[in-house]
């Protein structure tokens, strides 16, 4: 029996200032060598430094319009979730392989269900050890960026307190409070400590706190996540970073409006969890790279949902390093066989045949959950 041949489409990202692309020319070449056809929208790779000619040299076909890419493809590879302007392209049975973040996107979920799109979310593909291999590289980028961004907005010109993150001899450094000690929080801590800040990570797992203490050799403090500790820490923060994630689910609201009101004037909040709804109550809207911040209670809020899009070359290379093997598996084996042989990939399926097939996503959306095996 010959392996299935697939048409893989790569449209240009249309989210505000999103310069990443879902597939590098090298990745397109690997799919082509495996017997598949790759369609790339003209200009899709420009923001990441890849020309249309780079894709052509690897055998990909360049199409001028997104509508044609979507219409002719069996599987669409993207970086960010589709926006309303793209909903009309959806077609029944088409695989959509991208970050979906459906827990905070009810309208998108409804459209995927109505059109019976097979939605495979990067962020819910999960290994047996609980790690999220397709989320990890972007969490590393976003965690490191969160400190760069926070240091930038702490400058007086941008509305911040006018303090240097690391201080100088005779002047204390800034207090950086990080909610969550996972990939984002750990990478944020590396950057903040490297710049000389005082760092506290608030974490709910005692085992993870022990691991963080070993990783950082006691150079930061850890606190158990509870309302008392969060309230006390937030009040002292110059920079507060939200780095909490529950796979597929809406981020828990850990910081209340009252806590934010207690913060120092000119303090900065960077909520990396905003694409899952945010973990801070006053993060009540998503911002963009072109208009990234707003002020509330005298505190500057940064709520951009596609932070890694600001460093697209690094981000695209890091992302495609981990997504391409799964894309090849789906293309080479076909959806049914690929999932039958890889439980990790099964966990990525959020929507299938008009049903929500991930329990955390269903709970967050208030929709019925259907086991994937019941739809086979």
């Amino acid at each position: 029996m010959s392996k299935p041949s697939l048409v893989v489409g790569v449209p240009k990202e249309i989210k505000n200032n999103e310069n990443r692309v879902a597939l590098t020319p090298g990745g397109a070449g690997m799919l082509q060598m495996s017997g598949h056809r790759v369609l790339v929208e003209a200009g899709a790779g420009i923001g990441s430094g890849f020309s249309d000619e780079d894709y052509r040299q690897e055998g990909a076909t360049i199409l001028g319009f997104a509508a044609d890419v979507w219409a002719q493809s069996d599987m669409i590879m993207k970086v960010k979730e589709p926006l309303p302007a793209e909903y009309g392209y959806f077609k029944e049975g088409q695989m959509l392989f991208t970050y979906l973040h459906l827990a905070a996107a009810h309208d998108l979920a409804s459209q995927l269900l109505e059109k019976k799109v097979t939605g495979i979310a990067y962020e819910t593909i999960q290994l047996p050890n609980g790690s999220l291999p397709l989320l990890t590289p972007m969490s590393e980028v976003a965690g490191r960026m969160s400190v760069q961004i926070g240091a930038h907005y702490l400058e007086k010109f941008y509305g911040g307190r006018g303090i240097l993150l690391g201080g100088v001899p005779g002047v204390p450094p800034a207090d950086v409070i990080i909610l969550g000690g996972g990939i984002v929080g750990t990478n944020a801590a590396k950057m903040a400590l490297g710049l000389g800040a005082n760092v506290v990570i608030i974490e709910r797992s005692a085992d993870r706190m022990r691991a963080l203490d070993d990783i950082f050799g006691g150079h930061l403090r850890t606190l158990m996540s509870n309302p008392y500790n969060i309230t006390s820490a937030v009040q002292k923060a110059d920079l507060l970073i939200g780095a909490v994630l529950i796979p597929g689910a809406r981020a828990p609201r850990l910081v209340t409006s009252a806590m934010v009101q207690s913060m120092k004037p000119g303090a900065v909040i960077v909520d990396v969890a905003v694409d899952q709804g945010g973990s801070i109550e006053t993060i009540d809207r998503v911002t963009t790279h072109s208009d990234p911040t707003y002020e509330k209670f005298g505190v500057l809020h940064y709520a951009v949902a596609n932070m890694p899009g600001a460093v697209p070359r690094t981000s695209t290379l890091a992302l495609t390093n981990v997504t391409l093997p799964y894309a090849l598996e789906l293309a080479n084996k076909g959806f049914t066989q690929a999932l039958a042989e890889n439980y990790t990939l099964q966990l990525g399926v959020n929507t299938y045949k008009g049903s929500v097939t991930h329990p955390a996503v269903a709970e967050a959306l208030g929709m019925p959950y259907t086991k994937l095996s019941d739809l086979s």
Side-chain angles (χ1 to χ4, degrees):
M1 182 179 175
S2 61
K3 65 184 179 183
S5 178
L6 216 67
V7 180
V8 180
V10 182
K12 186 176 182 179
E13 298 295 321
I14 63 171
K15 197 177 185 77
N16 180 285
N17 281 291
E18 180 51 75
N19 291 297
R20 289 173 289 180
V21 63
L23 192 66
T24 62
M30 290 183 70
L31 283 162
Q32 290 278 152
M33 288 171 58
S34 297
H36 310 291
R37 188 173 177 224
V38 179
L39 308 178
V40 179
E41 184 182 352
I46 297 297
S48 293
F50 302 118
S51 69
D52 291 346
E53 185 57 30
D54 291 334
Y55 287 98
R56 286 194 187 96
Q57 288 179 5
E58 296 294 335
T61 300
I62 304 298
L63 298 180
F65 299 99
D68 294 333
V69 175
W70 284 83
Q72 297 179 38
S73 300
D74 304 306
M75 178 169 72
I76 292 289
M77 290 186 68
K78 280 179 50 58
V79 177
K80 291 304 291 180
E81 73 285 350
L83 298 181
E86 297 169 299
Y87 294 173
Y89 301 145
F90 294 169
K91 62 181 183 181
E92 184 172 343
Q94 187 174 55
M95 286 187 282
L96 173 61
F97 192 34
T98 187
Y99 288 119
L100 286 173
H101 297 294
L102 293 182
H106 196 282
D107 289 347
L108 171 58
S110 297
Q111 288 292 318
L112 294 173
L113 296 174
E114 182 181 327
K115 302 290 180 60
K116 297 185 178 178
V117 174
T118 301
I120 308 169
Y122 294 162
E123 73 274 7
T124 62
I125 288 177
Q126 191 168 11
L127 296 174
N129 65 3
S131 65
L132 304 167
L134 273 58
L135 193 62
T136 294
M138 294 304 93
S139 295
E140 290 169 337
V141 171
R144 295 179 184 211
M145 283 187 68
S146 67
V147 176
Q148 289 183 189
I149 289 163
H152 176 75
Y153 283 105
L154 277 170
E155 295 177 19
K156 192 67 175 179
F157 180 79
Y158 298 103
R161 298 195 66 222
I163 61 174
L164 186 65
L165 209 62
V168 292
V171 180
D175 289 308
V176 177
I177 308 299
I178 302 169
L179 300 172
I183 300 296
V184 171
T186 300
N187 279 272
K190 288 178 181 177
M191 294 293 283
L193 287 171
L195 290 171
N198 286 326
V199 179
V200 175
I201 293 182
I202 298 177
E203 169 60 44
R204 67 177 182 174
S205 166
D207 286 342
R208 183 58 187 164
M209 284 191 283
R210 292 186 188 99
L212 289 166
D213 192 60
D214 287 340
I215 290 168
F216 292 106
H219 292 292
L220 56 70
R221 290 192 300 125
T222 56
L223 289 174
M224 177 58 72
S225 181
N226 59 51
Y228 177 82
N229 283 340
I230 293 172
T231 299
S232 300
V234 166
Q235 194 170 13
K236 299 171 185 174
D238 297 299
L239 171 59
L240 174 64
I241 296 172
V244 178
L245 174 74
I246 300 174
R250 195 199 183 289
R253 286 283 173 86
L254 299 178
V255 176
T256 65
S257 179
M259 293 178 193
V260 174
Q261 289 183 63
S262 75
M263 293 177 72
K264 306 166 187 174
V268 174
I269 294 173
V270 178
D271 197 347
V272 182
V274 67
D275 50 11
Q276 289 289 111
S279 56
I280 291 142
E281 190 175 16
T282 49
I283 296 285
D284 53 13
R285 61 185 178 273
V286 176
T287 61
T288 65
H289 285 294
S290 60
D291 188 17
T293 63
Y294 61 91
E295 180 268 327
K296 200 163 191 176
F297 304 128
V299 175
L300 208 59
H301 293 61
Y302 180 97
V304 175
N306 62 325
M307 289 170 61
V311 287
R313 182 74 178 188
T314 297
S315 297
T316 289
L317 292 170
L319 178 61
T320 56
N321 282 344
V322 293
T323 57
L324 183 59
Y326 290 96
L328 283 165
E329 195 169 353
L330 286 164
N332 290 340
K333 297 177 180 179
F335 177 77
T336 302
Q337 185 183 344
L339 265 67
E341 296 179 7
N342 189 343
Y343 181 70
T344 294
L345 197 50
Q346 289 182 34
L347 296 175
V349 182
N350 284 196
T351 65
Y352 184 57
K353 293 183 177 179
S355 297
V356 180
T357 53
H358 191 287
V361 172
E363 182 179 359
L365 292 170
M367 294 180 175
Y369 161 62
T370 304
K371 287 184 179 179
L372 193 59
S373 57
D374 292 343
L375 297 170
S376 301

